[in-house]
Amino acid sequence: MIYNLYWPLCFGFLVSTYIRVQVSQENISGLLGKNNLKENFLAIFFGAVSSSCSYAAASMSKNLFQKGATWQNSLIFLMTSTNMVFEMFVVIAVLLGRFFFYAELIGALIMVICLRVFMPLFFNNKEVDEQQEELNKEAMNHQQMGHGMSDNHEEKMGFGERLSQGFYMEISMVIKEILIGVVVGSLIITFLPDGFFGKLFSALHIGNDFWGILISSIIGALIAYFAYVCSVGNLVIASALWFGGLSVGGVLAFIFSDLITRPLHLVYIKYYGKKFAGKIIGLIGLCAIASGVIVDLFIKYADIKVVTPSSLKSVPFTLDYNFYLTVFFLVIGVFMYFRGRNLSKGMHMSM
């Protein structure tokens, strides 16, 4: 699993890091101050080129909201930063194939539409304004305490140094999640019988009608909440769930629910308080489930043939393109990682 996952992940991190080091949060937040379609699409774009780490995305979404972005655009950024980032699409194409790549792209866009539709049911303007005022007070307190001392140091760094440091920081943030996902996903692939969920639904007399599709998406979201894995690490488990027979919509709901895991729920509580955090979980969870249901219904009524994935239990090793790309990106990745680590250590020592 690690062998299949490494090169697309490394390639994705390099591309997204390259874009991020050239765009500041201040510039982004200044472009997301209105809830119109143009700025919604900008939020999607900036989310797609941001960090794939759910924790980093949650932090940056809060900072954008604090610096002037609307709450709607901040949440759109949050959703797309973990569901439409470049490295995720590369990994999905490699692990799950082209069919699922298109399903993920369409499902993520549907999720954004659902957010626009359902958001008024969860948040009103008064509580959003109050939350933004609280965050502004918090930011002023941090500035008075002297935070942000590393800004001048970063400005003196060259582009290559900032790229290496950004790559190192990105890997450091998500490596634990990816490894947990690999272990859990590998265990599921090894021990879960092929077609397990299809057989389970059949035994429980759950068909392929609307209610069966809804139950599949709810199961995917619930697994994500209790899985304690987020972002790219979820993709390995997602592949295992699909090989286990969970529907496309159920797997999509699982992937999209990487923002409502229990650890992230605690992060939202720390940022916004229990009530606001609960609404975030409810809104994102509802959007994830709705997106999964809509995609599954579209597949059913458009009579699209779902390509049944082959099992990953016995993939033979061959000297193909995957091997050469792995070696190539292994050299680049190791160099960038250790260079970035040394630069980060030097920055902390200078501080």
Side-chain angles (χ1 to χ4, degrees), residues 49-347:
V49 299
S50 70
S51 171
S52 65
C53 173
S54 300
Y55 301 102
S59 175
M60 190 169 179
S61 174
K62 184 200 74 167
N63 291 339
L64 292 176
F65 178 52
Q66 184 177 293
K67 294 177 180 178
T70 66
W71 181 233
Q72 182 182 101
N73 285 331
S74 299
L75 286 182
I76 291 175
F77 172 90
L78 177 64
M79 284 184 176
T80 54
S81 65
T82 56
N83 295 319
M84 294 183 69
V85 286
F86 185 78
E87 57 263 31
M88 287 194 69
F89 281 131
V90 177
V91 173
I92 285 173
V94 172
L95 281 184
L96 298 172
R98 186 171 57 182
F99 172 84
F100 214 95
F101 169 85
Y102 293 127
E104 166 80 9
L105 176 60
I106 294 171
L109 293 174
I110 291 174
M111 193 175 178
V112 172
I113 296 173
C114 290
L115 183 143
R116 285 178 57 93
V117 173
F118 297 139
M119 193 166 182
L121 301 177
F122 288 83
F123 299 99
N124 59 62
N125 293 332
K126 181 181 178 181
E127 63 180 344
V128 169
D129 291 340
E130 289 176 351
Q131 187 65 61
Q132 196 168 41
E133 289 178 8
E134 287 294 323
L135 292 176
N136 287 334
K137 291 179 182 178
E138 176 187 316
M140 291 181 64
N141 292 334
H142 277 270
Q143 289 176 359
Q144 292 172 0
M145 293 172 63
H147 287 261
M149 292 183 294
S150 62
D151 292 345
N152 292 332
H153 188 278
E154 290 184 357
E155 290 176 359
K156 296 178 182 178
M157 296 172 62
F159 178 79
E161 292 175 321
R162 288 186 288 123
L163 182 65
S164 297
Q165 188 180 55
F167 181 80
Y168 163 73
M169 293 176 66
E170 180 73 14
I171 296 295
S172 299
M173 285 189 292
V174 300
I175 187 64
K176 182 177 71 173
E177 305 295 330
I178 293 173
L179 290 176
I180 293 174
V182 168
V183 172
V184 174
S186 299
L187 288 172
I188 294 174
I189 290 171
T190 302
F191 296 106
L192 194 70
D194 290 339
F196 170 79
F197 288 102
K199 296 173 183 176
L200 176 63
F201 283 11
S202 178
L204 296 176
H205 303 290
I206 299 174
N208 193 32
D209 56 3
F210 172 78
W211 296 110
I213 290 172
L214 177 61
I215 291 172
S216 180
S217 293
I218 291 174
I219 289 175
L222 287 175
I223 293 174
Y225 183 82
F226 294 106
Y228 279 67
V229 183
C230 62
S231 190
V232 181
N234 256 357
L235 297 182
V236 187
I237 302 178
S239 65
L241 294 176
W242 199 27
F243 297 139
L246 196 63
S247 71
V248 174
V251 176
L252 285 177
F254 170 80
I255 294 173
F256 295 154
S257 296
D258 64 346
L259 291 169
I260 62 170
T261 61
R262 180 59 182 166
L264 269 172
H265 191 177
L266 297 177
V267 170
Y268 298 142
I269 292 174
K270 179 181 178 181
Y271 287 163
Y272 308 107
K274 288 185 178 181
K275 182 179 178 181
F276 214 75
K279 291 186 176 184
I280 294 172
I281 295 295
L283 175 59
I284 295 177
L286 178 60
C287 292
I289 293 170
S291 179
V293 169
I294 292 171
V295 170
D296 257 350
L297 288 174
F298 176 77
I299 290 173
K300 177 181 178 180
Y301 290 106
D303 198 24
I304 297 174
K305 183 179 179 181
V306 177
V307 180
T308 305
S310 59
S311 175
L312 285 180
K313 290 182 179 179
S314 56
V315 180
F317 175 82
T318 56
L319 292 176
D320 55 6
Y321 77 96
N322 190 55
F323 171 78
Y324 296 110
L325 286 173
T326 299
V327 173
F328 176 73
F329 282 104
L330 182 63
V331 174
I332 294 178
V334 169
F335 171 76
M336 295 284 287
Y337 178 86
F338 284 102
R339 187 189 188 199
R341 189 179 71 169
N342 292 334
L343 288 169
S344 296
K345 286 183 178 180
M347 183 182 72

